[in-house]
Amino acid sequence: MIISQLPAKELLAKSQSLIALIIMVIGISLLSDSFLTPDNGWNILRQISVNLCLSIGMTLIILSGGIDLSVGAILALAGAVAAGVLKNGFAIPMFDTLLQFTLAGAIVTGILVGFLLGWFNGFVITKFRLPPFVATLGMFSIARGLTMLWTGGFPVTGLGEGFSYLGTGSFLGMPMPVWITAALVLLFVVITRKTRFGRYLYAVGGNERAARLTGLNVSNIKIWVYALGGALAGVAGLLVTARLDSAQPNAGLGYELDAIAAVVIGGTSLSGGRGSIMGTVLGCLIIGVLNNGLFLLNVSPFWQQVIKGLIILIAVAIDRLNASQEH
């Protein structure tokens, strides 16, 4: 009897996020006629695209047993640097030279900025054995300060139609941000499920000591994980900047909390070693549907924060309960 019930329990545990999403969609659609429409569906997918970029990177980091509080600040700096070099170029005073950047060059530069800052996070965490919370909190402040220095505290605007197309354009009827995030989801599903790096990632998050004893270079794996998280924050920064046609110095404030929330709601364990990219996609959809539904129902933004916080607490409590039952 017990044996026959185990598959059902496991299936229920793995389907919690999907069940929650379905219940939310049904409930909101009954309360609002504007919810289940094609335009609103695309609107939700467009809105979650930035959070999904951040959350994919956060999934990798949390799977490895870490956390990153700096992704919102890295998003702002990457977007500001890309916008700045695209509009104004980059001056090298000692050579009295002004480097001009193409659209592709600016995009690559923004992603590279995110990658390097993420790499620095991983380097500090592994080489100096700093807790990820402390190291990334420091990077949060560094990146925010650098953004203000780069922009002078003022938005960088007028970036051109080519750049704006990344955030507001569409291809074959689907918004460009959705295309970009869909490609990233596919890429990192393959990486986590089908590659050696993915297997090593789960091994490090599941039991770091055992991973070291088996000969894995845990430090290199963690550095790469944080670097990829930074690069994805750079992509998110490009999407935000392109959508607004403006690099805002205070962009991305609080975005790291939404990313962590999406990962946890999607079933990734905060202790590492358990979770998936597709679970995070569901987590982002849950947050997106919740935000959109509460807006359509004219719920106060202050109550929206309260409700979102309660959902995060429930998700973490379920994670802890599942972990205790496994042990």
Side-chain angles (χ1 to χ4, degrees):
M1 184 71 173
I2 294 176
I3 294 175
S4 64
Q5 289 177 349
L6 280 176
K9 288 183 178 180
E10 291 176 2
L11 181 62
L12 180 62
K14 292 181 179 179
S15 304
Q16 288 170 348
S17 298
L18 180 59
I19 293 170
L21 178 62
I22 292 171
I23 292 172
M24 286 178 57
V25 168
I26 293 173
I28 296 172
S29 63
L30 292 175
L31 296 172
S32 173
D33 294 334
S34 303
F35 180 72
L36 278 184
T37 63
D39 287 344
N40 192 53
W42 287 122
N43 186 39
I44 292 172
L45 292 177
R46 187 184 294 108
Q47 288 173 352
I48 71 168
S49 59
V50 170
N51 189 29
L52 186 50
C53 284
L54 294 177
S55 299
I56 292 171
M58 191 68 74
T59 302
L60 302 178
I61 291 167
I62 292 179
L63 281 173
S64 73
I67 197 77
D68 191 345
L69 302 181
S70 66
V71 290
I74 292 175
L75 174 155
L77 181 56
V81 170
V85 299
L86 178 63
K87 185 174 182 180
N88 304 317
F90 182 72
I92 306 177
M94 67 175 64
F95 297 107
D96 194 25
T97 302
L98 179 66
L99 295 178
Q100 298 291 346
F101 283 73
T102 64
L103 174 59
I107 290 172
V108 171
T109 300
I111 297 173
L112 182 60
V113 166
F115 179 89
L116 291 175
L117 293 178
W119 181 92
F120 185 79
N121 275 338
F123 178 82
V124 170
I125 288 167
T126 56
K127 301 304 179 184
F128 296 98
R129 300 187 181 279
L130 291 183
F133 181 92
V134 175
T136 58
L137 187 61
M139 177 55 73
F140 169 89
S141 182
I142 292 169
R144 283 289 169 201
L146 289 174
T147 304
M148 291 299 176
L149 289 170
W150 177 265
T151 62
F154 296 98
V156 182
T157 59
L159 305 176
E161 293 183 2
F163 191 81
S164 296
Y165 181 75
L166 290 175
T168 60
S170 61
F171 178 70
L172 298 178
M174 191 161 82
M176 282 303 297
V178 180
W179 277 111
I180 292 168
T181 50
L184 290 173
V185 167
L186 179 61
L187 173 63
F188 282 94
V189 165
V190 172
I191 288 174
T192 53
R193 291 185 178 181
K194 302 295 184 181
T195 68
R196 184 179 300 175
F197 177 80
R199 293 193 295 272
Y200 291 172
L201 173 63
Y202 280 94
V204 169
N207 191 324
E208 183 174 328
R209 184 171 179 273
R212 289 186 187 278
L213 292 174
T214 58
L216 295 184
N217 192 329
V218 172
S219 294
N220 278 354
I221 293 168
K222 286 189 172 185
I223 288 173
W224 270 103
V225 163
Y226 280 94
L228 288 171
L232 287 163
V235 175
L238 294 174
L239 293 180
V240 170
T241 305
R243 185 175 64 195
L244 300 175
D245 192 27
S246 170
Q248 299 291 330
N250 61 349
L253 284 173
Y255 281 28
E256 58 279 342
L257 300 181
D258 278 350
I260 294 170
V263 174
V264 174
I265 291 170
T268 298
S269 174
L270 284 171
S271 58
R274 179 165 54 85
S276 68
I277 299 296
M278 291 310 300
T280 294
V281 173
L282 286 175
C284 286
L285 283 170
I286 288 171
I287 291 178
V289 167
L290 178 66
N291 289 338
N292 180 266
L294 293 176
F295 175 79
L296 292 177
L297 297 174
N298 295 316
V299 176
S300 164
F302 307 121
W303 276 112
Q304 291 183 30
Q305 292 296 317
V306 173
I307 294 169
K308 190 184 297 183
L310 289 173
I311 290 175
I312 294 171
L313 289 176
I314 292 170
V316 174
I318 292 173
D319 171 55
R320 296 292 88 192
L321 181 61
N322 288 339
S324 63
Q325 288 179 346
E326 288 178 1
H327 294 90

